[in-house]
Amino acid sequence: MAVYTEVSDEELSAFIDTYDVGRLLSYKGIAEGVENSNFLVHTDKASFILTLYEKRVNPDDLPYFLNLLQHLAGKGLSCPTPVESRSGALLGTLAGRPAALVTFLEGMWVKRPRADHCAELGKAMAELHLDGADYDGFRKNALDVTGWRPLFQQCEDRSDTVQAGLGAEIERELSHLEAVWPANLPSGVIHADLFPDNVFFLGNELSGLIDFYFACNDAFAYDIAICLNAWCFELDLSFNVTKAKALLKGYSAVRPLGPSEFDALPTLCRGAALRFLLTRLYDWLSVPEGALVTPKDPMEYLKKLRFHQKVETAEAYGLER
């Protein structure tokens, strides 16, 4: 389970009392996620998600995330909404960690996405990009191309313990992407972590997007590249172009892609694969002792990266000009 910080009954009850949300009935840790400690909290009025912010989350970024959720919910996007405390604050402190309470979103994530799920995701992602256009907050993507080398340097000397030659392969790809990374693409607020477990469905209908704690200002097409990596590979890591075409068609129906985004997509997909290879590698080698969490396999994204390295144009992803 992704619980890095344990919380006592007394601490949690006192924290919940600072909100007008009713009396605490029960709570339990949530297994999904590897970045923060998450709990499902039930009161006699409703259910909520409590997050304690850990690891790579900079406390100075939290107002950006929480205010963004308020902004997007106000635009009609289905996402968790931060709950204000009795004093009007969106952020508090629990067990020595910054903490926030957000509304509970109904739905379940799909473990085996179909093409129709990918199409719905594409539409919702495009709506998110448009809804964030007038959000006045700004946060640089801490894990953009400029952040990958510092992250790699933290685990470079141990990378070959995961697979022989891994460090040299990452170094080659990193140097390539640093040299060719596209600039001046259409940009704005992106989610930057729209994996299937962050997208909820009720039946076949998308019910909402969650976990905005990597949200930032970056290229819209980079968000698409992340989703192509996360949604369009099968269990054997073969690429499913039918799913990719559905995702891209759904997105383009709401926000059409421009020529520069079309041309940049193969490079952006390589970059997205490398980004998650690096963060998974770091987590694999750096899980705190005693943490109730199972790190995700970094080698999955090495295999995806190798696929993208062979792609020459966006047509390979099912995108049509």
Side-chain angles (χ1 to χ4, degrees), residues 189-243:
V189 173
I190 69 169
H191 185 284
D193 196 33
L194 273 178
F195 277 63
D197 58 352
N198 288 332
V199 181
F200 281 4
F201 287 84
L202 287 171
N204 294 326
E205 183 177 349
L206 192 149
S207 62
L209 309 178
I210 68 166
D211 200 354
F212 281 72
Y213 300 113
F214 284 102
C216 57
N217 295 75
D218 207 334
F220 297 134
Y222 180 61
D223 223 9
I224 297 172
I226 290 171
C227 291
L228 288 171
N229 275 285
W231 289 73
C232 300
F233 285 86
E234 298 302 323
L235 292 178
D236 63 359
L237 297 181
S238 62
F239 187 74
N240 188 321
V241 71
T242 301
K243 291 181 180 180

Side-chain angles (χ1 to χ4, degrees), residues 187 218 246 290 300:
S187 300
D218 207 334
E300 173 187 341

Side-chain angles (χ1 to χ4, degrees), residues 68 81 92 108-109 115 124 126 131 138 140 142 160 188 196 222 234 255 260 281 307-308 310 312 319:
L68 173 61
T81 305
M108 297 177 61
W109 69 276
D131 288 344
F138 181 86
K140 182 183 182 298
D160 283 8
Y222 180 61
E234 298 302 323
R255 181 190 166 269
S260 62
L281 178 64
F307 168 82
H308 296 303
K310 299 175 183 177
E312 296 182 357
L319 187 59

Side-chain angles (χ1 to χ4, degrees), residues 87 218 289:
S87 65
D218 207 334
E289 185 176 352

Side-chain angles (χ1 to χ4, degrees), residues 254-320:
V254 177
R255 181 190 166 269
L257 293 179
S260 62
E261 295 172 295
F262 186 101
D263 293 337
L265 196 58
T267 297
L268 296 173
C269 284
R270 287 175 69 163
L274 181 64
R275 174 261 193 259
F276 286 100
L277 167 58
L278 287 172
T279 49
R280 286 188 176 193
L281 178 64
Y282 176 86
D283 289 339
W284 189 268
L285 296 170
S286 309
V287 174
E289 185 176 352
L292 300 175
V293 61
T294 302
K296 296 178 181 178
D297 183 6
M299 303 313 294
E300 173 187 341
Y301 271 84
L302 179 64
K303 295 173 183 175
K304 292 179 179 181
L305 172 60
R306 288 172 175 172
F307 168 82
H308 296 303
Q309 287 171 337
K310 299 175 183 177
V311 171
E312 296 182 357
T313 69
E315 282 92 350
Y317 302 118
L319 187 59
E320 300 175 356

